[in-house]
Amino acid sequence: GAGVSQSPSNKVTEKGKDVELRCDPISGHTALYWYRQSLGQGLEFLIYFQGNSAPDKSGLPSDRFSAERTGGSVSTLTIQRTQQEDSAVYLCASSLYTLQGRSYGYTFGSGTRLTVV
Amino acid sequence: LAKTTQPISMDSYEGQEVNITCSHNNIATNDYITWYQQFPSQGPRFIIQGYKTKVTNEVASLFIPADRKSSTLSLPRVSLSDTAVYYCLVVPKAAGNKLTFGGGTRVLVKP
């Protein structure tokens, strides 16, 4: 597509339930990133994919968080047993890398606003 | 990763030029300087990227002195719609390096 698409745009869930957030990157973008942004705060890195593999998972806050990417395209971020502190906007970004390893501007989606009640 | 320091907030008026300076004293040789803009309820949007001297595009100009320890984003003739948070980032050249966002500069353009 023309941009990075995320769904749902808003999600309200009860504490303890599992949620899945979806990211559809720009076609051909090999790198995909998940970030989260709490109200009024900066962006916190969660995980990075290059193709289908995730060489950097260092930002995942706990083992309740997991992510996968299939076919080098769509990615799903899963949060199990959600807690109120998981409430935030979850942003996905994708980027195209050249053969020389140079990265160009990252394109972000509009995010999924997750509210845990 | 090189740490960046930028003003927390800036106010301006429509039609003025806004200059935001970012410090990155421990920038490495292979690092690029990148700026993003974020409006409320949206993801950040790439504005401009540079390595040294001056880069200009249709949105902004980026000035980088020879020592590369700072950079200045210049927004010409701002309008109300330029009210946003502006993030300065230092990005390693190598593939796969995540963007590390600081607090950004909240720019408020007044009528």
Side-chain angles (χ1 to χ4, degrees):
Chain A
V4 176
S5 178
Q6 292 189 245
S7 61
S9 55
N10 281 284
K11 176 72 175 179
V12 179
T13 189
E14 292 181 352
K15 178 181 173 182
K17 300 275 186 164
D18 297 352
V19 294
E20 283 190 353
L21 312 179
R22 176 189 168 105
C23 173
D24 202 339
I26 292 175
S27 178
H29 278 197
T30 55
L32 186 147
Y33 301 77
W34 283 97
Y35 287 79
R36 75 176 174 181
Q37 188 171 32
S38 300
L39 188 62
Q41 302 298 310
L43 281 81
E44 175 189 3
F45 167 80
L46 297 178
I47 187 169
Y48 153 66
F49 287 92
Q50 181 62 35
N52 291 335
S53 63
D56 190 347
K57 306 178 183 180
S58 62
L60 294 178
S62 75
D63 58 8
R64 296 187 295 105
F65 287 72
S66 64
E68 65 175 12
R69 189 180 185 194
T70 55
S73 181
V74 173
S75 176
T76 302
L77 177 68
T78 301
I79 308 173
Q80 296 178 309
R81 304 180 304 281
T82 52
Q83 304 294 314
Q84 288 186 328
E85 61 263 27
D86 299 335
S87 296
V89 176
Y90 288 81
L91 290 157
C92 174
S94 70
S95 178
L96 177 64
Y97 285 92
T98 67
L99 291 176
Q100 293 76 31
R102 165 80 183 277
S103 66
Y104 291 91
Y106 295 63
T107 302
F108 281 84
S110 295
T112 294
R113 182 175 299 277
L114 176 66
T115 305
V116 182
V117 297
Chain B
L1 292 172
K3 180 178 176 177
T4 60
T5 302
Q6 53 185 122
I8 294 174
S9 63
M10 297 179 71
D11 288 358
S12 184
Y13 291 91
E14 280 190 294
Q16 289 189 335
E17 179 180 84
V18 171
N19 295 305
I20 309 171
T21 296
C22 177
S23 298
H24 27 78
N25 291 318
N26 60 340
I27 189 169
T29 303
N30 288 338
D31 291 343
Y32 284 78
I33 299 153
T34 307
W35 287 79
Y36 281 78
Q37 173 191 55
Q38 186 177 27
F39 299 114
S41 301
Q42 293 186 25
R45 180 177 76 111
F46 172 85
I47 301 177
I48 197 166
Q49 176 170 292
Y51 184 80
K52 61 181 179 181
T53 63
K54 176 183 176 182
V55 179
T56 296
N57 61 24
E58 65 278 6
V59 176
S61 293
L62 178 60
F63 299 91
I64 306 169
D67 66 4
R68 305 200 328 121
K69 293 184 183 299
S70 67
S71 59
T72 299
L73 176 73
S74 181
L75 305 172
R77 299 178 300 282
V78 293
S79 63
L80 297 177
S81 62
D82 292 316
T83 293
V85 178
Y86 293 82
Y87 294 96
C88 165
L89 295 90
V90 170
V91 184
K93 178 182 177 181
N97 283 283
K98 57 184 179 281
L99 300 180
T100 299
F101 287 81
T105 297
R106 191 171 300 273
V107 172
L108 174 62
V109 180
K110 303 175 183 178

